[in-house]
Amino acid sequence: MTTRFSILLAVIFLTACNSSNKENAVLPKNSNDSAFTNVKDRAWWKEAVVYQIYPRSFKDSDGDGVGDLKGIISKLDYLKSLGIDAIWLNPIYTSPNDDNGYDISDYRSIMKEFGTMEDFDALLKGMHERGIKLVMDLVVNHSSDEHEWFKQSRSSRTNPYRNYYHWWPAEKGKPTYRWSFFDVKSEAWRYDTLTNAYYLHYFSKKQPDLNWENPKVRQEVYDIMKFWLNKGIDGFRMDAFQFASKDTSWPVLPKGYEKNVIKYYGDGPHLHDYLQEMNREVYSKYNVMSVAEGAGSSPEDAMKFVDPDRKELNIAYHFESVDIGKTLNDYGLVNYKKIFSRYDSVFKDKGWLAIFMANHDQPRMVSKFGNDDSANREASSKLLSTFVLTMRGTPFYFNGDELGMSNIRFNNIEDYNDVATRNQYENLKNTSGDLKSFLEDKKQTSRDNGRTPFQWNTEINAGFTLGKPWLKINPNYTTVNVAVQEKDSNSVLTYFKKIVALRKNSPALIYGSYKLYDEKNPNVFAYTRTFNTEKYLILLNFSNTKTDFILPDELKSFTRLVLTNYTTVTAINFTGNSIQLQPWQSVILK
Ligand code: TEU
């Protein structure tokens, strides 16, 4: 590149930076529907930005320390202000709460702590009035042991509900070992004296697995789904559904299989038959979002869930990009990029993926994929939001991440609520394991890091509750909260709204093809998103240090700055052949 040309580009660049500095980069456009006219197979669930609410932690309205539906209703205008299109609500059904609502004892009623069916109807109405859709959690791999079905099933071997669950008569000896996620002894078969038999529970002993082999169970589930869909909800996220089908000859599984449990428990022999039946019976009759949590162990497995020709679900939510160990830093950006490119190559022409970095089963996004120290928390949070909102696939974004909420890192086991953490601790205690290093590890990995109450303001309990919060509040709430960030045009929250608006109005960012550049670069994730003539280049410096990104020739035409997470002009130095990226800087160019 000649010097004159590079100076010219630098000038264009600085002008863009200057104006972006004034307006704080790109401003939301008005709805840009005409730009989408050439898009094939448009669907609302492809274009939606999904915001996940963990209701227990979002907003408490009655002072019992637990979030509730009225609390969410009181924050509908906040949700609207984010620009998101749909909400995925974690389970709100009646439950003894062994696993915070993932153990349901009545699928057609609302958990008392959360409110009433009237509250639910008001919530749904309030959301729809604001143009926000509602996706509910459907937990039907298992129920609660306090569900009437299980009570009946347990009561005698001849009860009509006996086959709603998996039982193994003890006179046949011990059943083949099955590992359990949450059991204190990691045993999924639990002996029940009442009928001298074992029942199966992949999760806690209070979450017996439903027997999907039984057509009556399947019909019950389809009826439950229709009950909610007929109320007008907009879809389901189906909890742990990849585990629903089991090989009921209970073969011996290889030693150590629990290290790759999705491979052995996921994608059972009839899983796709069930999904096709569910589609015929339920989904085909509604224009809704359908997502199974988990989608096997490879892109090819995931495609089977959502290949339109197979008529099953519409979004595949796989775990490869979160099951990377403790931190992205340890896993390596180069390996991380490979996951996305591998999936994209299988999904580029059909099928549809979810994109996410966090949920209620994960530590905080910024603590795992970014850097939550005081110097880098804000920039890295913004960079991660940029990533989730500019990749191909429907973004599932976890509440609180828009503020840059970070891991709380509890010191004591008593601070934890999560059944997984508590039972693993018990397990280790009983087997004389290393409790100290376990607690150290949980500071990074425990699910409770993502479940601490939402930080609304600087008032008592971060404005979450006037009572005693069910889980401790992160002390950083005094600076990391909505009230402070709403007033700050450079906050993580303000940035989030901008990137949401940008995506929503862009066919390229939603539907455009994805192309990775400089795949071996250990610090920078660089890719383009292209739809017809609309093209974006996204540069993400996933590191604590400044780095120069060398522009290949074909990227030199991207000279207009659309959005960056830094505000000062000096933050970007365009010298013609390379762009200097500041620590955790994200840059979107056109
Ligand atoms: O999680 C199920 C599940 O399979 C995850 O534990 C998954 O394997 C893991 O996150 C992969 O990294 C769901 C719910 O999301 C969770 O909260 C429940 O505890 C669980 O089901 C049981 O219902």
Side-chain angles (χ1 to χ4, degrees):
M1 191 182 290
T2 66
T3 321
R4 248 184 47 215
F5 187 50
S6 71
I7 289 171
L8 177 69
L9 286 181
V11 169
I12 297 172
F13 218 88
L14 288 177
T15 315
C17 293
N18 262 325
S19 69
S20 83
N21 197 21
K22 243 185 276 148
E23 300 159 17
N24 205 13
V26 83
L27 289 170
K29 287 181 265 174
N30 290 325
S31 178
N32 191 13
D33 236 35
S34 59
F36 287 81
T37 40
N38 292 325
V39 174
K40 264 203 321 212
D41 302 325
R42 275 188 83 175
W44 73 264
W45 43 265
K46 293 181 182 170
E47 293 179 20
V49 175
V50 182
Y51 180 83
Q52 182 191 348
I53 291 186
Y54 195 66
R56 208 173 183 75
S57 300
F58 195 62
K59 173 69 187 166
D60 175 22
S61 72
D62 59 6
D64 66 356
V66 171
D68 48 43
L69 301 188
K70 283 207 169 98
I72 303 175
I73 292 172
S74 72
K75 296 296 182 186
L76 282 172
D77 289 335
Y78 171 73
L79 296 167
K80 173 84 187 153
S81 78
L82 297 176
I84 52 102
D85 308 275
I87 283 168
W88 153 27
L89 200 55
N90 291 94
I92 54 167
Y93 319 92
T94 301
S95 159
N97 276 316
D98 189 51
D99 184 21
N100 289 353
Y102 281 98
D103 46 322
I104 297 170
S105 53
D106 180 357
Y107 289 92
R108 288 184 177 82
S109 69
I110 303 293
M111 189 192 299
K112 280 206 177 63
E113 281 175 305
F114 286 173
T116 62
M117 195 57 93
E118 286 69 49
D119 296 335
F120 173 81
D121 293 338
L123 174 64
L124 183 61
K125 187 162 172 276
M127 286 174 56
H128 283 171
E129 276 165 7
R130 290 166 180 80
I132 300 173
K133 295 188 187 291
L134 176 60
V135 176
M136 304 262 288
D137 221 309
L138 182 71
V139 188
V140 289
N141 170 69
H142 46 270
S143 73
S144 162
D145 65 340
E146 297 183 34
H147 194 291
E148 191 55 32
W149 298 335
F150 191 73
K151 289 188 196 161
Q152 294 288 333
S153 182
R154 240 195 112 195
S155 65
S156 91
R157 287 192 181 189
T158 53
N159 187 285
Y161 288 91
R162 186 65 169 182
N163 286 332
Y164 272 45
Y165 297 86
H166 296 284
W167 289 97
W168 178 271
E171 64 273 15
K172 282 171 68 182
K174 264 194 119 180
T176 335
Y177 175 69
R178 283 294 178 270
W179 176 84
S180 159
F181 283 91
F182 299 159
D183 187 70
V184 176
K185 290 188 179 144
S186 310
E187 301 246 13
W189 288 107
R190 184 171 178 86
Y191 178 68
D192 191 31
T193 46
L194 205 59
T195 55
N196 187 37
Y198 296 84
Y199 69 85
L200 185 77
H201 64 90
Y202 276 180
F203 294 92
S204 92
K205 63 180 188 223
K206 286 184 67 60
Q207 295 168 297
D209 284 52
L210 282 159
N211 178 9
W212 273 77
E213 302 271 296
N214 182 348
K216 283 194 188 140
V217 168
R218 307 204 296 270
Q219 279 309 320
E220 297 265 19
V221 171
Y222 305 151
D223 287 349
I224 292 166
M225 293 171 77
K226 286 182 215 157
F227 171 83
W228 291 100
L229 290 167
N230 292 341
K231 271 183 168 291
I233 70 156
D234 304 285
F236 289 110
R237 171 265 189 195
M238 294 158 57
D239 183 68
F241 200 77
Q242 60 178 343
F243 303 141
S245 169
K246 278 109 182 160
D247 180 345
T248 51
S249 68
W250 309 115
V252 175
L253 299 176
K255 226 177 144 42
Y257 75 87
E258 58 271 22
K259 297 205 173 63
N260 192 357
V261 77
I262 292 179
K263 178 159 175 234
Y264 291 93
Y265 283 9
D267 227 344
H270 301 295
L271 184 72
H272 292 282
D273 300 333
Y274 301 154
L275 286 170
Q276 283 166 16
E277 182 182 84
M278 183 184 283
N279 185 294
R280 281 194 303 275
E281 298 268 334
V282 187
Y283 284 130
S284 59
K285 304 183 164 83
Y286 303 84
N287 176 20
V288 293
M289 180 182 285
S290 51
V291 196
E293 186 213 17
S297 324
S298 69
E300 291 74 18
D301 284 354
M303 178 56 85
K304 279 165 67 189
F305 287 75
V306 294
D307 180 341
D309 297 336
R310 295 172 57 89
K311 299 199 170 36
E312 297 185 19
L313 305 177
N314 51 36
I315 301 182
Y317 187 103
H318 70 82
F319 281 120
E320 274 197 59
S321 55
V322 287
D323 286 347
I324 59 159
K326 277 199 204 172
T327 66
L328 178 57
N329 198 25
D330 296 343
Y331 186 75
L333 185 69
V334 173
N335 290 329
Y336 188 64
K337 290 191 250 188
K338 278 187 196 150
I339 299 176
F340 289 91
S341 300
R342 208 153 45 79
Y343 272 84
D344 192 78
S345 67
V346 174
F347 276 72
K348 64 182 189 319
D349 297 323
K350 62 173 177 180
W352 197 256
L353 291 166
I355 301 290
F356 67 102
M357 295 186 122
N359 59 37
H360 65 293
D361 293 333
Q362 297 287 330
R364 278 289 167 187
M365 167 174 96
V366 67
S367 306
K368 178 168 172 175
F369 293 95
N371 181 344
D372 66 12
D373 72 18
S374 57
N376 296 289
R377 187 186 57 81
E378 291 193 23
S380 66
S381 291
K382 292 173 187 169
L383 172 138
L384 300 176
S385 296
T386 313
F387 178 65
V388 175
L389 274 297
T390 58
M391 284 298 283
R392 191 155 183 275
T394 297
F396 281 71
Y397 195 90
F398 188 51
N399 61 191
D401 286 342
E402 77 275 25
L403 307 174
M405 281 178 65
S406 56
N407 279 8
I408 189 160
R409 304 193 169 92
F410 289 133
N411 286 315
N412 306 307
I413 188 66
E414 292 73 31
D415 288 328
Y416 286 99
N417 164 279
D418 178 20
V419 61
T421 301
R422 293 181 81 103
N423 286 357
Q424 282 163 16
Y425 184 88
E426 271 313 296
N427 188 342
L428 267 186
K429 210 164 94 182
N430 297 338
T431 54
S432 314
D434 184 347
L435 296 174
K436 212 170 145 221
S437 67
F438 173 81
L439 284 177
E440 237 2 80
D441 181 78
K442 290 295 144 192
K443 288 183 183 176
Q444 179 58 32
T445 60
S446 173
R447 310 196 292 183
D448 279 341
N449 285 303
R451 297 178 178 185
T452 62
F454 194 89
Q455 296 166 198
W456 292 103
N457 53 43
T458 54
E459 288 161 30
I460 185 163
N461 297 325
F464 164 68
T465 179
L466 293 173
K468 183 173 184 285
W470 72 279
L471 194 65
K472 280 187 182 160
I473 288 169
N474 194 316
N476 70 10
Y477 79 89
T478 51
T479 49
V480 181
N481 66 64
V482 172
V484 166
Q485 295 196 25
E486 274 184 338
K487 283 189 222 115
D488 175 358
S489 60
N490 291 323
S491 67
V492 179
L493 176 61
T494 305
Y495 182 87
F496 175 71
K497 293 179 189 174
K498 286 180 189 163
I499 188 77
V500 168
L502 180 67
R503 179 189 179 92
K504 276 175 60 172
N505 287 295
S506 160
L509 291 179
I510 297 170
Y511 293 102
S513 59
Y514 153 92
K515 187 168 177 197
L516 180 69
Y517 287 86
D518 202 3
E519 67 226 48
K520 301 240 164 68
N521 190 319
N523 296 328
V524 180
F525 202 148
Y527 50 94
T528 51
R529 297 294 312 281
T530 308
F531 181 78
N532 292 341
T533 53
E534 193 192 8
K535 268 186 167 211
Y536 289 97
L537 170 63
I538 295 107
L539 301 174
L540 306 171
N541 178 12
F542 274 82
S543 84
N544 295 330
T545 47
K546 275 189 201 167
T547 175
D548 287 323
F549 181 75
I550 314 285
L551 283 164
D553 280 346
E554 61 178 297
L555 295 183
K556 285 180 180 152
S557 58
F558 290 88
T559 52
R560 190 160 83 74
L561 177 66
V562 179
L563 186 62
T564 179
N565 60 351
Y566 272 65
T567 50
T568 53
V569 179
T570 51
I572 298 180
N573 295 309
F574 188 75
T575 58
N577 291 319
S578 71
I579 295 182
Q580 189 179 74
L581 298 167
Q582 300 299 308
W584 297 102
Q585 182 160 24
S586 63
V587 174
I588 302 178
L589 301 170
K590 243 188 157 163

